[in-house]
Each structure stands twice: as C-alpha cells, then as structure tokens.
Amino acid sequence: MLIEESYKDVPTKAAGEGSMRIFLFHPTIPGYPGAKFPGVVVFSEIYQVTGPVSRFARQIAGQGYIVAAPSSYHEFTGPEPLAYDGPGTDAGNEWKITKKVAAYDEDAGLAVSLLLGLKTCNGKIGATGMCLGGHLAYRCALDQRVKAALCFFATDIHSHSLGEGKNDDSLKRAGDIKGELVMIFGKSDNHVPPEGRDLIRKTLHEKGVEFSFYEVCGAQHAFVRDELSKGRYDPAITKVCFEMLLELFGRKLKIDLGEPSGEKLVIEDVC
C-alpha cells in the first residue's frame, strides 16, 4: 500500500487559544477511489513526532490505516521534534508535567474527530503510542469512539503523575474504557517498576476492562524506538509486538474498500 503524508493545524482551547499540528499518514490503493480505512491515533513519546515515531506511523498506515499523529507540546514549542539528547529530554520531561491533563484530552479528542471527519475513514478508531504516548493512548481509549488501543510501556499511569499538578485520574477512570486494551511493558523497564505494572493489571481486572497484558523478558524502556543512541531498540521483539497491534486493530477495525473503479492502472516507468 502506498502512503500520502500531509498535516493539518487545528485550533485548541483547553490551555488558551492556540493550534496543534496533526501529522497525517494516509494509505492509498490505486483503482479504489472509494476505499475507506480505519483511523489510528499515534501518540508520540516526550520528543514529539520524531523520525522513529514517523516510521512507526508509516508502518501502520502501510497496513491500511489512516494515521493521525498529534504534536503534543504545541503549547510550548513548534511541531518540530525534540532531539534525543540531554536538553531534549529535559524539555520533554518538564513539559510532560506542565501541560494540563484536560489539554492532553482535548488533543486526543481533536485527533479522533479529525479522523472521523475524513470521507475516507470507515468510522472506526484505534489508538497507540509509546512512553508518554502509551499513557495518552490509554487516555484516548476513555473516549467511547475508540474501539481499541495498544499502549507501549505507558509511563505515569501507576503513579498518577501525568500533567500539571502530577495528579491524573487515568487509573481511577479505567472502567470508562469500553474498547479493547493491550498493555505492553518491558520487564526491565525501570520507568514502570514491577509493583506499578501489577497495580495497573489488578485495576484493569477489577474495573472489568477487556484487555491483554504482556511483559517482555529482558526488554528495557523504549525498546520499540528504532533509534540507537540509547541502546535499547530490540527489532525482534518489536516485530512480535507490531503483530499484536495488527491483530488487535485487524479484529476490531476493518477496511471497507468499496466497489473497484475498473479503471486501467497506469504503470510509471520510474525508479
């Protein structure tokens, strides 16, 4: 499947008048102008929509999903990604607990609404993300329009420490999740210790959430990030987890190709 990339700037209000850039990764199937695809919101880690996040979004889009990736820190900076270095990490961690939880939720709702407003969307929405984005994908699943979410090593859920005041209600609201949830953590992830993972799993059970929970032996935090400076990327396990994502989204969200156009496909003589 081919991919078209674009972006849309949408107005925001939760933290004052502003705008948020949402990057779009759209699959195309030549000869099927009426094709409709599910939508997936991809939430980034604390570095915004970096190269690894964009490549992750493209992989999903290439499987037949319209992907929307919001720039989470639009209140503080432009849509450009932060660097995977000391200053970038410090800024991302500071803004993570400066931004209002209501503003995070507004961002998620706007991304879902943008996808549902596309004539090429079949009306079914999923969410995924890594690190901060794993938590935001979890919160996105609190939106009843979201049918499935897969969260990679979601930070701060166990400690309810997301956003301004470091006092989010994500775990308390677990019962509001009506779609299916998949939580994936590395067993060697020191951002979410064993007791934190146990608390999340126990709460999801008690709240009656439909969920799967996978802990990867030996994997550290951010093991799906294909950026080598921090030495954590594990491509073999990432492949397994991506198949879990495709299984979840393929079962809960479906492609509607519509009727074929019948037009003759033009083969371009280009490299």
Side-chain angles (χ1 to χ4, degrees):
M1 227 171 277
L2 303 179
I3 304 169
E4 294 179 349
E5 297 186 22
S6 61
Y7 65 83
K8 186 172 179 60
D9 293 325
V10 299
T12 59
K13 297 180 179 179
E17 297 290 335
S19 68
M20 171 179 61
R21 178 158 297 179
I22 302 176
F23 294 92
L24 291 169
F25 304 81
H26 199 301
T28 63
I29 304 178
Y32 287 87
K36 293 183 182 295
F37 306 91
V40 173
V41 185
V42 169
F43 294 95
S44 68
E45 50 193 349
I46 62 168
Y47 302 97
Q48 297 215 101
V49 184
T50 60
V53 173
S54 294
R55 289 189 288 274
F56 179 61
R58 290 185 192 110
Q59 288 185 57
I60 297 172
Q63 298 294 328
Y65 300 89
I66 309 169
V67 175
S71 299
S72 293
Y73 291 150
H74 55 89
E75 293 93 348
F76 313 109
T77 188
E80 298 79 16
L82 302 177
Y84 289 115
D85 59 12
T89 300
D90 290 344
N93 279 324
E94 176 64 26
W95 292 336
K96 180 180 73 169
I97 58 173
T98 303
K99 180 163 176 153
K100 298 176 184 295
V101 172
Y104 282 122
D105 291 344
E106 180 187 53
D107 293 352
L110 289 170
V112 171
S113 294
L114 174 62
L115 288 168
L116 289 174
L118 298 175
K119 65 180 182 180
T120 50
C121 181
N122 72 355
K124 294 185 179 180
I125 304 296
T128 188
M130 56 187 77
C131 190
L132 164 66
H135 192 154
L136 298 182
Y138 173 100
R139 287 196 69 88
C140 190
L142 298 172
D143 186 328
Q144 305 298 296
R145 299 175 295 176
V146 175
K147 306 303 181 186
L150 187 144
C151 308
F152 287 101
F153 34 86
T155 55
D156 305 308
I157 293 178
H158 69 289
S159 57
H160 57 83
S161 54
L162 177 68
E164 183 182 49
K166 300 176 69 175
N167 189 31
D168 69 74
D169 59 354
S170 298
L171 212 51
K172 291 179 181 179
R173 294 185 58 195
D176 293 341
I177 297 174
K178 302 307 178 186
E180 186 172 341
L181 191 66
V182 175
M183 306 294 291
I184 299 177
F185 294 95
K187 290 200 75 172
S188 298
D189 186 343
N190 57 8
H191 290 252
V192 188
E195 58 271 21
R197 300 194 296 269
D198 289 345
L199 175 62
I200 294 170
R201 186 191 305 107
K202 179 175 182 290
T203 303
L204 293 175
H205 273 301
E206 292 174 347
K207 297 290 187 177
V209 179
E210 184 179 22
F211 78 100
S212 299
F213 201 99
Y214 182 42
E215 294 179 272
V216 184
C217 181
Q220 298 183 58
H221 187 69
F223 65 86
V224 304
R225 182 203 295 148
D226 66 346
E227 196 274 340
L228 301 181
S229 69
K230 301 193 179 187
R232 303 178 196 154
Y233 176 49
D234 188 327
I237 292 299
T238 296
K239 180 178 181 294
V240 172
C241 293
F242 192 71
E243 290 298 327
M244 295 172 67
L245 179 147
L246 295 181
E247 189 282 326
L248 173 67
F249 289 167
R251 183 163 42 81
K252 290 291 187 175
L253 319 171
K254 295 294 181 181
I255 299 175
D256 176 4
L257 293 178
E259 294 298 320
S261 66
E263 67 185 54
K264 185 178 179 180
L265 301 182
V266 178
I267 308 299
E268 297 181 0
D269 187 18
V270 295
C271 294

